[in-house]
Amino acid sequence: MARYKVLYTDSGIGDISVESEFLKQIDAEVIMGSGTDEETLIREGKDCDGVMVEYAMVTKKVLDSWGEGKVKIISRQGIGYNNIDVDAATENHIMVANVPDYCLDEVADHTLTLSLCVSREIKSFNERVNRGEWEEKSIRPIHRFGSQNFCLFGIGNIGRKVVARAQAFGFNVFAYDPFVQDEEFKKLCVKKAGSLEELAGIADILSIHAPLTDKTKHAINLDIFKLMKKSSIIVNTSRGPLIKEEDLEYAIRNDLIAGAGLDVLENEPPSKKSVLLSCSNVIVTPHVAFYSEEAEAELRMRIAENIALALTEGKPRSLVNKKALIAK
C-alpha cells in the first residue's frame, strides 16, 4: 500500500500518467475521480492526503467534509482558483496551491494573435475569399498599428508579456491597474490611465488581463462599451465573466464597437445561437490560449510537484492561502 493517496477529481487532458509517475517518487498513488458532484467529491476525497483539481467546484460543504479527514493540499490545474472556496479551505487548514506562472508566453501570444486578426479583419477577408469573392476592400477602415492605442485592463504577469509584444508592433500602450505602482508603469514604458472608464475611452484595442473577483465580475459592461470608440475592438484571454456577455452581444449587434477577439466566455461552451458566433468581426477560440506542448508538460509536473512538496515538506511551491499552514 502506498504511503499517500491523491485524488484527481477531473482533467480535460484525459491522462494522469505524468502526474502518477511524478508522485510515485514520494510513494503516492493517484486515483481518478468518477464524478464532480459534491457527494462524489466528499466520498472519494475524504480519505486522501491530497487532491488535484481542474474544473470541479470545490465547495464549502466538500471542504468541511475533507477537513474532518486527511486532506492537506488541493492543487489546482491552472492559474485561477475561483472554483475552490479558499476561505473554507483555510478554515479547515487545507492548503490551496496553483500554478501562477505557466503559459504566460502562450496567453500573451494568443492575445496579440486575436488583436491583430480582428484589427486586420482576417476572418472577414478569409470568409469572402472562401465564397469566391476577391474584393480588396475592408468592411471598415483599417489603421496602422503605430497610430493606435493598445490598452490593457490589468498588467500582471501575463499583461506585462502582452505589453512587450504590443510595443514591438508599434502600438501606443496604456494600462489601468490600481495595484501597480507608478514606478512599474515607468519601467514598462506604459502610460497610466486613471480609471477603467478613462482607459476604455482612449482604446483602439482594449485587452482584458484582470483576475476574476466579486469586484471585477462584469466590469466590462454596456456602460464601458458606450465609452469606447465605434472603431475599437475588445480582446479577452483572461476570464469570461469579466465581460457581461449579453452587453457585448448588444454592443456588437448595434455597432457600439468594431469587433472582438475572445478566448473565454461567460458561458462555455456558447449556445449555437450566440450572436458572437455568427459575426465576421468576432473571433472566438475555445479557451485554448494556455496551450502549447511545452506549457502542458510544465503544468502537469507543477501540479504534482505542489502535492509532493506539501506532503513531504509541509508547503507547496505556489501557496494561495498562507493561513492554512496552521497545523490541523
Side-chain angles (χ1 to χ4, degrees):
M1 180 180 291
R3 181 180 181 185
Y4 301 110
K5 184 177 179 182
V6 177
L7 171 68
Y8 211 146
T9 63
D10 62 311
S11 174
I13 296 170
D15 168 56
I16 61 172
S17 60
V18 172
E19 297 86 344
S20 296
E21 284 300 314
F22 187 95
L23 287 169
K24 277 183 181 179
Q25 299 175 72
I26 64 164
D27 193 20
E29 175 192 10
V30 179
I31 60 169
M32 194 69 213
S34 62
T36 57
D37 60 281
E38 285 185 324
E39 297 307 319
T40 301
L41 292 175
I42 289 170
R43 183 180 68 255
E44 295 182 345
K46 199 168 184 178
D47 67 339
C48 292
D49 301 281
V51 179
M52 294 185 287
V53 175
E54 185 170 13
Y55 295 120
M57 297 300 298
V58 185
T59 64
K60 178 174 172 56
K61 180 180 177 180
V62 172
L63 288 158
D64 287 346
S65 175
W66 286 355
E68 297 172 358
K70 297 170 59 182
V71 178
K72 300 178 182 65
I73 171 73
I74 301 169
S75 185
R76 165 72 170 90
Q77 188 194 96
I79 297 173
Y81 45 85
N82 47 294
N83 58 318
I84 301 170
D85 188 330
V86 176
D87 290 338
T90 304
E91 290 170 7
N92 285 286
H93 308 295
I94 297 173
M95 293 175 279
V96 176
N98 65 338
V99 188
D101 52 357
Y102 100 105
C103 78
L104 304 183
D105 287 312
E106 286 78 6
V107 177
D109 289 342
H110 204 85
T111 299
L112 262 292
T113 301
L114 289 173
S115 301
L116 302 182
C117 285
V118 177
S119 295
R120 295 291 306 174
E121 292 191 21
I122 300 302
K123 181 180 179 181
S124 172
F125 283 126
N126 180 249
E127 287 176 345
R128 281 181 276 169
V129 171
N130 288 341
R131 290 196 299 265
E133 302 171 15
W134 193 265
E135 187 178 357
E136 299 172 358
K137 185 178 181 181
S138 61
I139 294 174
R140 57 182 171 78
I142 294 177
H143 296 283
R144 184 177 294 169
F145 295 147
S147 68
Q148 294 191 300
N149 297 333
F150 194 109
C151 296
L152 296 90
F153 174 31
I155 46 171
N157 290 334
I158 292 173
R160 295 176 193 212
K161 296 270 188 178
V162 173
V163 165
R165 286 159 171 76
Q167 288 169 336
F169 277 93
F171 287 103
N172 305 305
V173 181
F174 294 77
Y176 169 67
D177 191 325
F179 301 103
V180 175
Q181 300 298 315
D182 290 352
E183 292 75 15
E184 286 299 308
F185 279 86
K186 291 178 181 178
K187 287 180 184 178
L188 295 168
C189 298
V190 173
K191 301 177 183 70
K192 182 179 180 179
S195 66
L196 177 56
E197 291 75 13
E198 179 186 338
L199 189 75
I202 63 174
D204 293 296
I205 298 173
L206 179 58
S207 189
I208 314 303
H209 301 283
L212 178 61
T213 66
D214 290 339
K215 290 184 177 180
T216 60
K217 182 178 180 180
H218 291 173
I220 309 300
N221 51 44
L222 190 56
D223 291 337
I224 295 297
F225 292 126
K226 287 180 177 178
L227 294 173
M228 295 174 68
K229 305 173 186 177
K230 290 185 180 295
S231 60
S232 64
I233 69 170
I234 191 159
V235 175
N236 190 9
T237 56
S238 183
R239 290 288 181 265
L242 291 167
I243 299 177
K244 190 172 183 180
E245 199 162 299
E246 62 180 307
D247 288 1
L248 174 58
E249 291 183 352
Y250 179 90
I252 292 291
R253 193 168 52 242
N254 292 279
D255 298 322
L256 296 185
I257 61 173
L262 309 166
D263 184 58
V264 290
L265 298 169
E266 187 169 6
N267 301 299
E268 295 180 0
S271 164
K272 292 181 180 179
K273 297 180 180 179
S274 172
V275 172
L276 302 174
L277 302 184
S278 60
C279 298
S280 293
N281 58 342
V282 177
I283 296 176
V284 179
T285 55
H287 206 144
V288 293
F290 68 90
Y291 176 71
S292 73
E293 289 293 308
E294 293 82 1
E296 183 178 292
E298 179 184 9
L299 173 63
R300 297 178 70 178
M301 294 293 287
R302 291 280 299 280
I303 60 173
E305 180 188 39
N306 275 330
I307 295 286
L309 289 173
L311 296 181
T312 60
E313 299 182 18
K315 184 179 178 181
R317 180 175 176 181
S318 308
L319 179 63
V320 171
N321 55 340
K322 294 181 180 179
K323 292 182 180 178
L325 289 174
I326 301 171
K328 293 178 71 171

